[in-house]
Amino acid sequence: MARKLSHKKAFRAKPGFSRQDVKTRVMQVLKHQKQEPIGIHALEVKVQLKHDERREFYDLLEQMQKSGELWRRRNSVVLSKNQGLIQAQIVTLNEKFGFARPFVEGELPADKAQDIFLPGRFMLGAMPGDTVMLRVEPKKGKAEEGENREGAVVQILKENDAPFTGVVVRQPDGYYLRPDRLARFLLEIEKGQLHGAKDGDKVLVKITHRGDSHFAHKVSVVNTFGSAQLAQVCCQAVLANYNARTEFDEATLLEAQKIAERGIPISELSERMDLTDMDIFTIDSSDSKDLDDAVSLEEDEEHFFLGVHIADVSHYVRQGSPLDLEAYRRGTSVYYADQVIPMLPKELSNGICSLNPDEVRLTFSALITLKKSGEIEGFRFVKSYIRSRVKGVYSEINQILDNTAPQEIVEKYKQLIPQIQLMQKLAHILRKRRFDRGAMNISSNESKFIIENGKIKDIVPRLGGESERMIEEFMLTANEAAATLAMEQEMPFVYRVHEQPPVIKVNLLHNLLTKLGVPAEKLLQNPQPKDFANILESVRGTELEPAVNGQLLRTMSKAIYSERNIGHFGLVLENYAHFTSPIRRYPDLTIHRILTSYLNGMPKDKLKKRYGSFVPGASKNSSQMEVNAMNIERDCEACYKAEYMSGYIGEQFEGRITGVAAYGFYVELANSVEGMVSVHDLPMGEYVLEEGIELKEARSGVVYRIGQQVRVQVASVDVSAGQVNFVLAD
């Protein structure tokens, strides 16, 4: 007869239990508990905790709580997933509510479609950037777009302690901060923590005290930029907000200086293709200093022979060097107003790497053979060296092409004029071929800022001509060839990809176009680029063109960098990458390195071993840095536009309605400045938003519709916020 064991001995005798680590035993008990919290003392008993395991046990609970794996309420704990809790990040905060974006496989998605609405009273004082644990349930009542779920913060897992910017506001009871982006309500500045800042100054602050609610938080000033009504000052704050790297460290500058001083040794030229006898030249804007691409073109009876010659930056910027690490962190050069924050120091970007005229420069050349139809027949990538014939200027070459160039410009380009005319011919063929395959001809309303002594003097349209379109086509061709080579040789690579637009956005576009009377039925059945292109052409030259153009841009997915080649929807290309600007874009520099290793005979397995794990991280980082650069450009230009319009308070302008909302409508002027007409400033009445395309006054029937031309008067501006407010002219 078998001997019976006591309850305690039987429990210990379970196979392997006593030998399992603390976390394994804790997880077994918590999984068994399912949704039922368990007291911490009861958990100690159930996991048969030994005396020397107590510290490990409590450290484990604290770690699991901080990571969000465990939810603790008073002295009880439960697995977060068993309670239906999810991790998210606070992305938007208003005075009475906020939004949180759930993590997906540990990553924060860019799409806001799954954002969760959070009533302010259920946020526990969580701020944007905080990682939180949420309890989520369907939103009560009628949900607005994007508000299909409502949640409550049950725990703040990680506080965002990054500094942020705002404007100092003096109140009767002290000084407060009006944040630029982080929140839309005033935060108290702790007494004695102004550090010299004054009412109306733009400042950088950090949270020094967190209360139980948003209004109990307090901040301290860490940097003062100056008056918030100066665009130049506001741009400094914008750069700080995005953590832009505006200075190079000593190691990076020293390396750049040594490279510039070393120059180009004769020995380096012996292994390269000598192209100095060819008529190669650059074409850029008149004020460009970082000339990273040059072109050449010849033809015979059956072919065009296009040469796209790119500065060989990878020869100088070696992987893992201080220069490379700094370029990786920056990801891209940042251009805003009349300023540039370069990816590389000027010793390289404006010096040894810049394809300056009459100077020998190391290049990476794409030699492309095209049929007379514009189809790529073949290509070859070679390490080369060139001597540019001239620094071509867009405006000058445009004058040559339209036969308006004065004699001195004709003389400057005399040797190159036949080639320039041949380039125009090929560019027309390539452009037609691109649009024939369905690429979209989206117009952009870009501006050039005329700034003197830090103050804006004028805003003029940035007009593109024949030579700009010519260079665009040649760069697209070289980029396609580079990506095609990578696909053929199965290299690890950084592709430039563009997904098909999300169905929900396409449906919204279809609804808007239908209400505007623009036929858009094809958008409901697996729309192709050609369908979007046809819509644009159908409104070309009409009052609806700006609004449809803008809405279509908002519908499109954002092009990104990726190690996976899924093609480029907007360009209608199976293979595309960025090869042509390694001075100012890190992805181009990366693929130059990969192509160099390939040309040097590195086998496929070694290519994958060397670059396979690097490419995904570089792609992701470059995509994020590109977004930051675009945001900096947008925010700074908005400040300069507001500063410019501050000189026109009370004056009237013609404009066109580009968007409508329940609170008013947006009007864009010919100089690209956009401002808002508030519904509160319209003639008295009851205004209703009709089908997302117009504001209608119920009794009089007066309508303000997308695309409609209106005359407005500048009522006020806020330079700090980059806002312009209009009222209707009398």
Side-chain angles (χ1 to χ4, degrees):
M1 185 174 177
R3 186 176 57 166
K4 292 184 178 181
L5 298 177
S6 68
H7 175 76
K8 184 181 289 188
K9 289 183 178 179
F11 189 84
R12 287 178 178 170
K14 288 184 178 179
F17 188 90
S18 62
R19 293 191 298 274
Q20 292 172 334
D21 62 25
V22 173
K23 183 167 185 179
T24 302
R25 285 143 53 195
V26 166
M27 289 299 293
Q28 282 182 349
V29 174
L30 292 178
K31 286 178 181 177
H32 180 74
Q33 290 289 129
K34 297 184 179 178
Q35 296 182 2
E36 186 67 28
I38 182 173
I40 292 176
H41 179 68
L43 181 61
E44 282 188 55
V45 174
K46 284 207 171 189
V47 300
Q48 293 293 298
L49 199 66
K50 297 178 182 177
H51 180 74
D52 60 358
E53 293 176 325
R54 288 180 60 82
R55 178 162 187 163
E56 181 183 354
F57 173 78
Y58 282 99
D59 285 347
L60 173 66
L61 294 189
E62 184 179 1
Q63 180 185 353
M64 291 177 70
Q65 185 181 350
K66 285 182 177 179
S67 70
E69 193 176 2
L70 192 72
W71 180 46
R72 178 171 177 170
R73 189 173 185 182
R74 298 186 180 90
N75 290 319
S76 296
V77 293
V78 64
L79 288 177
S80 300
K81 63 181 181 180
N82 287 352
Q83 283 278 315
L85 304 178
I86 63 171
Q87 287 191 46
Q89 187 175 101
I90 306 297
V91 291
T92 305
L93 180 62
N94 288 291
E95 191 170 357
K96 296 182 179 179
F97 62 88
F99 284 93
R101 186 166 303 164
F103 287 95
V104 178
E105 296 179 356
E107 299 287 336
L108 194 69
D111 189 6
K112 63 180 182 180
Q114 297 302 315
D115 285 3
I116 296 166
F117 177 80
L118 305 172
R121 64 187 183 280
F122 296 143
M123 291 189 67
L124 301 184
M127 297 290 283
D130 286 359
T131 301
V132 298
M133 189 68 72
L134 298 180
R135 188 182 301 283
V136 183
E137 56 188 41
K139 186 169 170 55
K140 299 171 184 176
K142 184 179 178 181
E144 297 293 330
E145 183 69 34
E147 295 184 18
N148 58 329
R149 293 188 296 170
E150 186 173 294
V153 176
V154 299
Q155 183 181 342
I156 298 175
L157 300 174
K158 183 179 180 183
E159 295 177 348
N160 174 25
D161 59 359
F164 55 95
T165 61
V167 179
V168 175
V169 178
R170 185 175 183 177
Q171 300 279 68
D173 60 338
Y175 287 89
Y176 289 78
L177 181 89
R178 185 174 70 241
D180 290 331
R181 294 188 303 126
L182 196 72
R184 297 184 184 177
F185 49 84
L186 297 180
L187 293 169
E188 184 181 354
I189 299 175
E190 286 204 78
K191 288 180 173 56
Q193 296 299 311
L194 274 170
H195 296 145
K198 303 183 298 295
D199 183 32
D201 275 356
K202 198 82 159 180
V203 294
L204 184 72
V205 305
K206 64 183 301 184
I207 296 177
T208 50
H209 170 77
R210 285 207 179 214
D212 295 331
S213 71
H214 298 119
F215 304 102
H217 298 337
K218 294 182 181 180
V219 301
S220 172
V221 175
V222 296
N223 194 9
T224 302
F225 301 105
S227 171
Q229 292 309 305
L230 295 175
Q232 188 178 44
V233 167
C234 294
C235 286
Q236 294 175 28
V238 168
L239 295 172
N241 232 347
Y242 288 101
N243 299 311
R245 303 174 71 87
T246 56
E247 302 292 336
F248 291 100
D249 62 32
E250 188 175 346
T252 302
L253 290 173
L254 183 60
E255 185 182 5
Q257 187 177 349
K258 286 181 178 179
I259 289 171
E261 290 173 351
R262 192 180 306 129
I264 303 173
I266 298 298
S267 59
E268 176 57 38
L269 306 182
S270 62
E271 300 296 321
R272 291 173 175 264
M273 182 179 287
D274 182 357
L275 301 179
T276 55
D277 288 338
M278 292 185 66
D279 285 336
I280 296 171
F281 61 105
T282 62
I283 309 178
D284 290 275
S285 58
S286 59
D287 53 357
S288 293
K289 296 177 181 177
D290 51 349
L291 314 180
D292 55 5
D293 58 84
V295 290
S296 60
L297 185 64
E298 297 174 346
E299 70 171 341
D300 62 18
E301 292 182 358
E302 297 182 351
H303 299 96
F304 293 104
F305 302 99
L306 173 65
V308 177
H309 313 278
I310 308 301
D312 191 4
V313 181
S314 65
H315 173 78
Y316 302 104
V317 182
R318 300 303 172 95
Q319 190 167 3
S321 66
L323 272 170
D324 178 52
L325 295 175
E326 183 63 25
Y328 181 92
R329 294 185 189 105
R330 295 180 179 226
T332 180
S333 295
V334 180
Y335 300 86
Y336 67 93
D338 65 338
Q339 300 293 310
V340 59
I341 303 173
M343 185 179 78
L344 297 170
K346 64 180 186 300
E347 287 83 358
L348 273 69
S349 59
N350 298 352
I352 193 74
C353 291
S354 187
L355 307 182
N356 301 325
D358 298 320
E359 295 183 12
V360 171
R361 287 291 184 258
L362 304 184
T363 44
F364 203 157
S365 296
L367 307 177
I368 305 167
T369 302
L370 300 111
K371 297 178 182 178
K372 288 294 182 174
S373 64
E375 179 185 353
I376 296 177
E377 186 174 276
F379 50 77
R380 181 185 178 195
F381 286 82
V382 298
K383 289 299 183 90
S384 57
Y385 60 99
I386 68 168
R387 181 184 285 110
S388 174
R389 294 290 184 263
V390 69
K391 179 186 175 180
V393 177
Y394 286 129
S395 58
E396 295 174 352
I397 292 177
N398 289 337
Q399 289 178 307
I400 288 173
L401 292 173
D402 65 14
N403 297 314
T404 62
Q407 187 57 40
E408 63 267 21
I409 290 179
V410 172
E411 193 62 33
K412 174 181 175 180
Y413 295 95
K414 185 176 180 180
Q415 179 182 349
L416 302 170
I417 287 177
Q419 187 178 180
I420 290 171
Q421 292 169 338
L422 181 62
M423 287 179 173
Q424 182 185 34
K425 177 182 175 182
L426 174 58
H428 283 175
I429 293 170
L430 292 172
R431 188 172 173 84
K432 182 179 184 303
R433 182 180 178 85
R434 180 157 60 92
F435 291 144
D436 284 348
R437 69 174 182 256
M440 289 167 273
N441 186 13
I442 299 177
S443 57
S444 60
N445 192 12
E446 295 184 10
S447 304
K448 183 175 182 179
F449 295 81
I450 311 301
I451 297 173
E452 297 176 9
N453 300 320
K455 291 278 290 183
I456 187 162
K457 298 299 181 183
D458 200 3
I459 302 174
V460 297
R462 192 182 293 275
L463 302 174
E466 277 289 292
S467 62
E468 286 92 343
R469 291 189 286 270
M470 196 165 72
I471 291 300
E472 178 186 15
E473 295 301 331
F474 297 164
M475 298 304 116
L476 289 173
T477 302
N479 287 336
E480 181 186 2
T484 301
L485 176 61
M487 286 298 293
E488 289 175 351
Q489 299 301 320
E490 299 177 335
M491 302 179 202
F493 218 61
V494 178
Y495 296 96
R496 182 68 168 177
V497 300
H498 186 218
E499 290 185 296
Q500 191 164 348
V503 173
I504 187 170
K505 287 189 175 182
V506 174
N507 289 340
L508 289 172
L509 175 65
H510 168 266
N511 293 340
L512 176 66
L513 294 173
T514 301
K515 292 164 187 173
L516 289 172
V518 179
E521 292 78 12
K522 287 192 174 181
L523 296 187
L524 297 179
Q525 301 174 355
N526 189 28
Q528 299 303 304
K530 188 71 172 177
D531 299 321
F532 294 98
N534 288 340
I535 287 169
L536 278 175
E537 293 308 313
S538 72
V539 298
R540 188 80 64 196
T542 72
E543 66 176 13
L544 292 177
E545 181 182 356
V548 172
N549 193 87
Q551 191 61 44
L552 195 145
L553 274 173
R554 287 188 285 273
T555 301
M556 291 295 114
S557 299
K558 172 80 178 69
I560 61 170
Y561 297 105
S562 176
E563 72 280 9
R564 294 190 308 109
N565 182 21
I566 60 171
H568 198 292
F569 183 83
L571 294 173
V572 202
L573 288 174
E574 291 183 3
N575 305 319
Y576 192 66
H578 276 167
F579 167 79
T580 54
S581 294
I583 285 179
R584 60 184 180 88
R585 291 190 305 228
Y586 195 82
D588 307 52
L589 177 58
T590 298
I591 67 176
H592 274 222
R593 287 199 185 109
I594 297 169
L595 291 173
T596 298
S597 295
Y598 164 74
L599 292 180
N600 288 339
M602 185 177 287
K604 286 183 183 178
D605 59 335
K606 288 192 175 180
L607 275 173
K608 290 179 180 178
K609 185 176 180 180
R610 181 169 180 179
Y611 299 107
S613 59
F614 177 76
V615 160
S619 299
K620 182 178 178 181
N621 179 71
S622 296
S623 295
Q624 182 57 57
M625 292 302 102
E626 180 186 39
V627 170
N628 284 359
M630 291 172 63
N631 288 338
I632 289 169
E633 178 183 359
R634 179 202 63 208
D635 291 354
C636 287
E637 293 193 353
C639 293
Y640 272 108
K641 287 178 178 180
E643 182 182 77
Y644 178 72
M645 296 307 292
S646 68
Y648 295 91
I649 302 292
E651 297 198 25
Q652 297 183 5
F653 296 87
E654 292 291 333
R656 193 178 299 277
I657 297 176
T658 54
V660 295
Y663 50 80
F665 55 85
Y666 293 91
V667 177
E668 185 176 71
L669 308 184
N671 63 7
S672 79
V673 170
E674 187 176 66
M676 193 189 81
V677 177
S678 170
V679 70
H680 300 298
D681 293 323
L682 294 174
M684 286 188 64
E686 184 180 343
Y687 290 89
V688 180
L689 182 63
E690 298 265 335
E691 300 181 308
I693 63 169
E694 64 185 23
L695 264 182
K696 186 174 183 180
E697 203 286 305
R699 288 186 292 274
S700 66
V702 172
V703 166
Y704 302 102
R705 184 183 177 92
I706 286 178
Q708 181 180 334
Q709 197 139 6
V710 292
R711 189 166 183 80
V712 295
Q713 180 177 326
V714 183
S716 64
V717 301
D718 183 346
V719 177
S720 175
Q723 292 179 350
V724 178
N725 298 310
F726 296 136
V727 294
L728 290 176
D730 292 338

